[in-house]
Amino acid sequence: MAGITYVMTHPGFRSIKVGYARADGSRIDQLVRRGWQPYRSLIVQSPQMARRIEQATLFDLRYRIYVPVHLTRAHMGRAGGWTETVSAELISPSEVWYLLCEQAGMEQLSPVVKPVWQPRGPLRGHRRQRGDTPRFVRAARIEAARTARAAQVGAPNQTKPKAKQTAAKKDTQ
């Protein structure tokens, strides 16, 4: 069974979507009914390969080029897929297609070149956090954890203002 990796655009949202589907599935038709326009698609050997190509492309977009998620769950509705969107104002569909083709080439054409990341299942107890980390990309989870730790270290300590308030109360009494 073949798989499809695709790039779609939505002129109303000014957004680009990267996704994958089974060749016999109705995913692309479902998105077309919601206003998405197919830009280009690539037929690959299996849906699993299409997913690996999609996840590698999303990893490049999020953690190498630093393009954030563009739409929210409310925009996409029941169709889902909001985590695979990027703003058309930050990157063009042709650039996204180039990244997708680069990842597809590494995945299926060269027996020597291996991708930097290794697709694995989620760690036991790991939960995906609001779509900001591609699901099976270990390097993305590590980078997200480092970013979260750096944000926590830079956060101000909340216990100091309470101590100041206590000292101020003692001075007034």
Side-chain angles (χ1 to χ4, degrees), residues 2-62:
I4 299 174
T5 305
Y6 57 84
V7 174
M8 299 183 96
T9 60
H10 196 292
F13 294 144
R14 297 188 48 86
S15 188
I16 303 166
K17 180 177 179 3
V18 178
Y20 80 100
R22 292 184 359 207
D24 61 351
S26 62
R27 176 71 175 152
I28 294 174
D29 295 334
Q30 180 185 21
L31 292 169
V32 167
R33 284 193 301 270
R34 293 184 171 270
W36 290 91
Q37 299 171 351
Y39 178 72
R40 291 196 180 153
S41 61
L42 178 68
I43 299 174
V44 294
Q45 186 177 6
S46 67
Q48 293 81 16
M49 183 181 284
R51 177 169 170 68
R52 287 193 303 266
I53 293 168
E54 177 217 27
Q55 290 294 303
T57 304
L58 290 171
F59 179 81
D60 274 353
L61 286 168
R62 304 284 184 251

Side-chain angles (χ1 to χ4, degrees), residues 115-126:
V116 175
W117 55 272
Q118 292 297 321
R120 298 179 185 182
L123 298 174
R124 196 171 287 194
H126 173 75

Side-chain angles (χ1 to χ4, degrees), residues 1-172:
M1 175 185 303
I4 299 174
T5 305
Y6 57 84
V7 174
M8 299 183 96
T9 60
H10 196 292
F13 294 144
R14 297 188 48 86
S15 188
I16 303 166
K17 180 177 179 3
V18 178
Y20 80 100
R22 292 184 359 207
D24 61 351
S26 62
R27 176 71 175 152
I28 294 174
D29 295 334
Q30 180 185 21
L31 292 169
V32 167
R33 284 193 301 270
R34 293 184 171 270
W36 290 91
Q37 299 171 351
Y39 178 72
R40 291 196 180 153
S41 61
L42 178 68
I43 299 174
V44 294
Q45 186 177 6
S46 67
Q48 293 81 16
M49 183 181 284
R51 177 169 170 68
R52 287 193 303 266
I53 293 168
E54 177 217 27
Q55 290 294 303
T57 304
L58 290 171
F59 179 81
D60 274 353
L61 286 168
R62 304 284 184 251
Y63 298 100
R64 292 201 176 111
I65 304 175
Y66 300 109
V67 179
V69 174
H70 184 234
L71 299 180
T72 64
R73 185 175 295 169
H75 287 109
M76 293 297 287
R78 297 185 78 178
W82 61 277
T83 61
E84 293 100 19
T85 61
V86 294
S87 173
E89 294 179 6
L90 298 177
I91 190 167
S92 70
S94 61
E95 291 170 322
V96 174
W97 179 250
Y98 176 80
L99 287 172
L100 189 139
C101 289
E102 184 179 41
Q103 292 300 327
M106 285 196 327
E107 178 69 31
Q108 70 180 358
L109 298 179
S110 177
V112 177
V113 177
K114 295 293 181 192
V116 175
W117 55 272
Q118 292 297 321
R120 298 179 185 182
L123 298 174
R124 196 171 287 194
H126 173 75
R127 294 188 64 185
R128 190 171 180 191
Q129 299 294 319
R130 300 198 176 246
D132 57 352
T133 306
R135 194 176 289 191
F136 295 111
V137 182
R138 184 170 187 266
R141 289 197 311 265
I142 292 169
E143 184 65 29
R146 285 183 187 147
T147 305
R149 268 183 278 172
Q152 288 175 351
V153 169
N157 192 347
Q158 297 297 327
T159 58
K160 290 182 181 178
K162 290 180 183 177
K164 288 180 183 177
Q165 290 173 357
T166 309
K169 286 181 183 178
K170 289 181 181 177
D171 290 340
T172 58

